[in-house]
Amino acid sequence: MQAQTDSLPCTTSAYHIGIGPMNVLDTYLSQEKFTGTGFTFLSDTKYERPGSRWITVMQHQARFSTLHDRTDTEEELEGAYDFYVGRYYSLNVLRSTLNAQLGCMLNGGAGFIYNTSNSNNPAQARAHFNLMPSARVSYGFTLLKRPMALHYELDLPLVGIMFSPNYGQSYYEIFNRGNYDHNIVPTTFISAPSFRQQLMLNVGLSKRLTMRIGYLGDYQQAKVNNLKQHIYAHQFMIGIVRTLRVLNDK
């Protein structure tokens, strides 16, 4: 019975919530940097078949943050949603102990920044689509008679496109008057040098349930249309991981 179960396709789902410091700059709204606290939800689903080295990963990431400037006289609200889908090839470096996965992810995202003090152009919309080389490494071990695993993931946007108003251009001009001014911008790792990383520790609670704690770092930067922006997020994450076997897979 155990051998039959182990031969079934496997889905591993993880759900996390996080909190941590944020640092945001968008020169379309202000020349000031804003700092504050961000709250993140992250789900990660991994699908794999026994005997195959290929795995598929899907992630949903949503964030909301409240920010203030250095003098604490201006405030901003920031929010974002990103979807990631990736395909990886698994390398069993040390059999079941150390596993490395190399692949590529597609990422699409949208968000906003709202400056509560601006009367003219108070908000900035954000949208992007990226091709991201990606790597995941897992190291399994036992501590205090409990199975544990350390996971690290690194995602590096290589090329993509993003939406951006031009310097001095209002949203009224873009959407009401239809004045296009290089608002869909091709990006590379040079014009938008960004990366995302995760470091997570799994602590086994049962055969199918695991507790996860760790760190999510999301560092987004861009310099397009004579505008600069960055969003640096450092999040402490805690979550639950469940592993299920797919009984009726066709």
Side-chain angles (χ1 to χ4, degrees):
M1 184 66 178
Q2 178 66 37
Q4 293 178 352
T5 301
D6 290 343
S7 66
L8 293 172
C10 176
T11 299
T12 302
S13 300
Y15 304 93
H16 320 75
I17 56 174
I19 184 173
M22 300 285 300
N23 186 306
V24 174
L25 169 70
D26 193 308
T27 57
Y28 181 77
L29 300 175
S30 172
Q31 298 295 322
E32 286 286 335
K33 295 178 182 178
F34 286 73
T35 58
T37 303
F39 303 89
T40 295
F41 169 79
L42 173 66
S43 72
D44 183 313
T45 301
K46 180 176 67 173
Y47 182 80
E48 54 190 327
R49 292 175 178 272
S52 174
R53 289 181 177 267
W54 290 98
I55 67 169
T56 301
V57 173
M58 290 190 296
Q59 297 181 8
H60 299 268
Q61 179 178 315
R63 183 183 64 246
F64 178 77
S65 57
T66 58
L67 312 157
H68 55 83
D69 66 355
R70 290 176 296 175
T71 60
D72 206 18
T73 56
E74 295 187 26
E75 293 184 350
E76 286 187 346
L77 303 177
E78 182 271 340
Y81 166 77
D82 280 274
F83 174 72
Y84 303 85
V85 58
R87 187 74 167 163
Y88 293 84
Y89 184 77
S90 184
L91 306 172
N92 293 321
V93 182
L94 294 176
R95 295 184 179 274
S96 61
T97 303
L98 181 62
N99 180 267
Q101 299 161 0
L102 303 178
C104 188
M105 298 188 85
L106 295 178
N107 159 234
F112 71 91
I113 303 174
Y114 176 71
N115 188 303
T116 60
S117 302
N118 284 4
S119 57
N120 186 30
N121 294 338
Q124 167 73 300
R126 299 167 44 240
H128 62 261
F129 182 83
N130 291 313
L131 176 66
M132 309 173 69
S134 180
R136 296 159 65 109
V137 178
S138 299
Y139 176 72
F141 60 97
T142 300
L143 183 64
L144 301 177
K145 297 183 179 180
R146 287 194 176 274
M148 298 189 183
L150 194 62
H151 299 275
Y152 179 75
E153 178 181 330
L154 178 64
D155 311 311
L156 299 168
L158 182 63
V159 294
I161 56 174
M162 68 177 292
F163 166 81
S164 174
N166 217 317
Y167 181 80
Q169 183 186 30
S170 69
Y171 279 84
Y172 176 80
E173 292 178 276
I174 300 173
F175 296 108
N176 290 74
R177 301 184 64 179
N179 292 342
Y180 176 82
D181 189 9
H182 200 238
N183 301 126
I184 305 299
V185 187
T187 57
T188 68
F189 63 94
I190 297 175
S191 62
S194 306
F195 72 98
R196 175 174 176 260
Q197 63 178 346
Q198 300 178 49
L199 180 62
M200 302 287 185
L201 175 66
N202 283 5
V203 180
L205 302 178
S206 67
K207 185 177 180 179
R208 295 184 177 179
L209 189 63
T210 300
M211 182 179 71
R212 176 177 287 179
I213 57 173
Y215 166 76
L216 169 65
D218 198 352
Y219 319 97
Q220 302 177 22
Q221 302 177 109
K223 185 179 180 181
V224 297
N225 288 347
N226 297 308
L227 298 171
K228 292 181 180 180
Q229 62 176 248
H230 72 232
I231 298 177
Y232 304 146
H234 303 274
Q235 305 282 283
F236 170 77
M237 309 296 291
I238 185 168
I240 291 293
V241 183
R242 293 194 312 162
T243 300
L244 298 175
R245 297 287 176 178
V246 181
L247 297 179
N248 296 313
D249 180 75
K250 294 183 180 180

